[in-house]
């Protein structure tokens, strides 16, 4: 899954048209690099990030989804708003990636059920604004698994079919660096949930901490290492990454090791 962020901090100035064109070109380049799915998002979920109004989020993502729907790969919409999910699916998206696991918008569960598309339920402790203040767990793996089990139950109660649900441990979302490593090491314990697992380690701060690489764009090799490890363990089904070519090679390495 290649990441296409349409946020002001991802693409420098220029008009909205230029911004959409840049995002579309970037998405096409990710497909060229081997992405099998593109995740389009218009709201930054970075720690401390402010919320974006629905109208603004729509203005950012819809032209990009329309521009990418002929790219030959399915499009995912990274949003926690039912209104944005609806418009995105009408524009051509076929998966809703909700980092709040249906808790950000009370209408999201029923909306996804009505749209009939699959949904990725990600774990987060707190909200993007507060999540890194003091993440706390007794047993992080058990607690994330339990919270995701509840999220799956919530999704089913809203009418979403069980075979349309994916789960994600939410690396970096209300977790210390140690929590992230523990989740990566024991990711296989999420298999008990019976849902495909999405993993988003790409360029995140816990990789900067061990490599000394301060700039996120310098963390592609470290990201690929996490992808190779999870692929060798067979513990993730979808890798959400910015650097697709490196991640593909890492998947190939992990898979070869797993099947040797
Ligand atoms: N991470 C980010 C945004 N969306 N969605 C899922 N399912 N999993 C993630 O780990 C995830 C996500 C933050 O990363 P970005 O700001 O670099 O896109």
């Amino acid at each position: 899954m290649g990441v296409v962020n349409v946020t002001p901090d991802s693409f420098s100035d220029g008009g909205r048209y230029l911004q959409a064109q840049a995002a579309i070109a970037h998405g096409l380049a990710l497909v060229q690099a081997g992405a099998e799915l593109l995740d389009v998002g218009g709201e930054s979920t970075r720690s401390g990030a402010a919320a974006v109004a629905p109208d603004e989020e729509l203005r950012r993502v819809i032209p990009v989804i329309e521009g990418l729907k002929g790219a030959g790969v399915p499009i995912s919409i990274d949003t926690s708003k039912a209104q944005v999910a609806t418009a995105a699916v009408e524009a051509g998206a076929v998966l809703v990636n909700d980092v709040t696991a249906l808790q950000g918008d009370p209408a999201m569960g029923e909306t996804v059920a009505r749209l009939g598309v699959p949904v990725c339920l990600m774990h987060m402790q707190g909200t993007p604004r507060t999540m890194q203040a003091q993440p706390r767990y007794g047993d992080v793996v058990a607690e994330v698994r339990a919270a995701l089990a509840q999220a799956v139950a919530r999704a089913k109660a809203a009418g979403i079919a069980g075979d349309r649900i994916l789960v994600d441990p939410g690396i970096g979302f209300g977790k210390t660096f140690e929590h992230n490593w523990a989740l990566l090491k024991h990711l296989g314990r999420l298999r008990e949930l019976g849902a495909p697992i999405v993993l988003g380690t790409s360029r995140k701060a816990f990789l900067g901490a061990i490599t000394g690489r301060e700039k996120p764009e310098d963390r592609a090799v470290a990201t690929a290492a996490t992808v190779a490890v999870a692929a060798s363990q067979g513990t993730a089904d979808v890798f959400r990454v910015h650097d697709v070519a490196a991640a593909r090679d890492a998947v190939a390495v992990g898979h070869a090791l797993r099947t040797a």
Side-chain angles (χ1 to χ4, degrees):
M1 173 191 264
V3 179
V4 182
N5 282 329
V6 201
T7 47
D9 39 334
S10 311
F11 294 96
S12 57
D13 50 28
R16 287 198 193 288
Y17 175 75
L18 285 177
Q19 196 176 315
Q21 287 306 308
I24 293 164
H26 183 60
L28 294 174
L30 294 179
V31 173
Q32 280 290 312
E36 293 175 38
L37 175 65
L38 293 175
D39 190 37
V40 177
E43 177 173 42
S44 176
T45 44
R46 225 161 266 172
S47 176
V52 174
D55 285 356
E56 173 60 19
E57 198 176 326
L58 285 168
R59 265 197 297 275
R60 291 177 185 177
V61 297
I62 299 303
V64 176
I65 293 169
E66 286 171 345
L68 285 172
K69 75 177 160 205
V73 300
I75 312 279
S76 154
I77 174 68
D78 188 345
T79 189
S80 51
K81 299 185 183 78
Q83 185 190 343
V84 175
T86 302
V89 170
E90 282 166 6
V94 295
L95 171 75
V96 174
N97 174 23
D98 182 0
V99 298
T100 72
L102 310 178
Q103 295 184 109
D105 180 339
M108 189 60 125
E110 278 149 37
T111 299
V112 170
R114 180 173 45 76
L115 292 169
V117 294
V119 65
C120 174
L121 305 172
M122 197 198 75
H123 177 270
M124 167 163 39
Q125 187 179 83
T127 64
R129 194 178 269 288
T130 61
M131 64 189 181
Q132 290 310 114
Q134 235 174 5
R136 235 173 251 210
Y137 301 85
D139 176 339
V140 65
V141 182
E143 286 171 44
V144 167
R145 186 184 51 192
L148 285 173
Q150 277 181 8
V152 169
R154 215 164 38 238
K156 287 182 178 168
I160 300 171
D163 62 0
R164 292 200 172 132
I165 299 171
L166 300 88
V167 296
D168 183 328
I171 297 294
F173 285 84
K175 279 119 191 155
T176 63
F177 296 158
E178 291 75 19
H179 293 144
N180 293 326
W181 288 115
L183 282 166
L184 194 57
K185 184 168 180 178
H186 301 291
L187 199 56
R189 283 169 64 191
L190 299 188
R191 283 286 182 216
E192 290 156 37
L193 297 168
I197 294 171
V198 180
L199 182 67
T201 54
S202 191
R203 298 183 175 181
K204 286 183 179 169
F206 77 123
L207 300 175
I210 54 154
T211 57
R213 304 215 182 260
E214 283 175 21
K215 289 195 231 144
E217 59 271 30
D218 291 340
R219 299 174 189 155
V221 177
T223 299
T226 65
V227 171
V229 166
S232 73
Q233 295 171 340
T235 45
D237 303 287
V238 178
F239 297 96
R240 182 183 182 279
V241 295
H242 302 82
D243 306 286
V244 169
R248 280 215 72 113
D249 287 1
V251 167
V253 169
H255 184 73
L257 192 57
R258 181 169 166 69
T259 53

